[in-house]
Amino acid sequence: MTLDGTPRTVYVGGSGPAVIVMAEMPGISPDVARFARWVRDAGLTVYLPSLFGRDGAYPDAEAGRTIMKRACVSAEFRAFGAGRSSPIAVWLRALAALAHRECGGPGVGALGMCFTGNFALTMMLEPAVLAPVLCQPSLPLDEPGGLEISPGELTAVRERLDREDLTVRAYRFEGDRFCTAQRFAAYAAALGPRFEPRVLPAESANPAPPPFFSEVVGGPHSVVTAHLVDEAGEPTAAARDEILAFLVDRLTG
């Protein structure tokens, strides 16, 4: 798809209202694709844009580091410094508007993870986006309590949340060094009761994730992908089910 003058690959599947699923670093891994299929199987149309990395791969730790370094210096992403949004958010908002036109329904969901976590919040500047989910939002990397959004955009999002009675769901593991308690506190201060955080116990994470997550991330981090334990009664599986229910309720209820 070419949007805002930039072509990108977007994987699409399912039927019903649309949800934009944005992959975590280092790209669309089999775990990210699995989550996208769960969204599809919940009765929604999933749009999965390729933003970085090699689609379908579990990169080793060194390859993952290379992808991450490349993204950090890309003009499309602002990995460092709070108070500014990444330029890629404009393209993602255009994708949300297109998905709404194609799929109909009351609006679109947006779920970001890790490097893309905060993009789901910035996408609220697109009127079609009604159901934002932030999974372990990790930018800016250099400010644990910083937010990757400009003050004016943050004010506009808060005003829209209040005006339309919308909420923002957010998930992280306790002790995550990339998505910290300080960051969730900053979201709560900015968004008030419209921010609905969920903090999972660190010991509930999958203890044997792929190499990039065990060697580079180095601790519980990816709530619905690499650190998810897909078994009944597991906190991560319950979080996954809660997210799907939130998207379905907001977009079809």
Side-chain angles (χ1 to χ4, degrees):
M1 298 180 180
T2 298
L3 300 167
D4 194 40
T6 301
R8 290 186 178 277
T9 298
V10 182
Y11 301 94
V12 183
S15 61
V19 176
I20 314 300
V21 173
M22 293 161 280
E24 64 193 349
M25 190 60 62
I28 301 176
S29 68
D31 287 333
V32 171
R34 177 181 64 168
F35 180 78
R37 290 193 296 272
W38 282 329
V39 173
R40 177 200 65 190
D41 294 345
L44 301 167
T45 304
V46 64
Y47 286 68
L48 180 61
S50 179
L51 303 177
F52 37 71
R54 184 162 64 90
D55 300 345
Y58 276 132
D60 61 30
E62 192 55 40
R65 284 191 184 94
T66 299
I67 294 167
M68 187 172 178
K69 290 176 182 177
R70 189 179 302 125
C72 284
V73 299
S74 167
E76 294 180 305
F77 302 98
R78 291 196 173 119
F80 303 100
R84 300 185 302 166
S85 296
S86 289
I88 189 66
V90 176
W91 191 94
L92 291 165
R93 290 199 294 269
L95 177 61
L98 174 65
H100 189 212
R101 291 195 299 270
E102 291 184 339
C103 298
V108 174
L111 183 142
M113 315 173 188
C114 177
F115 209 79
T116 67
N118 191 70
F119 298 168
L121 183 67
T122 312
M123 288 172 69
M124 289 294 292
L125 297 171
E126 163 53 47
V129 178
L130 299 180
V133 181
L134 285 59
C135 288
Q136 70 274 354
S138 301
L139 299 185
L141 294 173
D142 59 338
E143 295 188 41
L147 299 183
E148 201 247 15
I149 187 171
S150 73
E153 289 173 332
L154 189 57
T155 297
V157 168
R158 173 60 193 266
E159 289 175 350
R160 185 183 172 209
L161 293 171
D162 289 337
R163 184 173 62 250
E164 299 182 27
D165 192 23
L166 301 174
T167 56
V168 177
R169 289 286 177 91
Y171 295 80
R172 62 180 289 271
F173 280 108
E174 187 177 31
D176 187 340
R177 66 192 182 98
F178 289 98
C179 181
T180 63
Q182 298 100 299
R183 178 155 298 134
F184 266 34
Y187 280 122
L191 303 177
R194 301 295 173 182
F195 180 68
E196 298 180 344
R198 305 285 192 271
V199 181
L200 281 66
E203 59 270 19
S204 68
N206 171 19
F212 175 82
F213 297 92
S214 59
E215 298 178 32
V216 179
V217 176
H221 178 66
S222 299
V223 174
V224 298
T225 54
H227 288 107
L228 182 142
V229 180
D230 188 18
E231 297 178 7
E234 289 290 337
T236 50
R240 181 267 320 274
D241 293 344
E242 184 181 70
I243 290 169
L244 296 176
F246 171 72
L247 292 170
V248 169
D249 179 69
R250 193 68 191 88
L251 301 178
T252 68

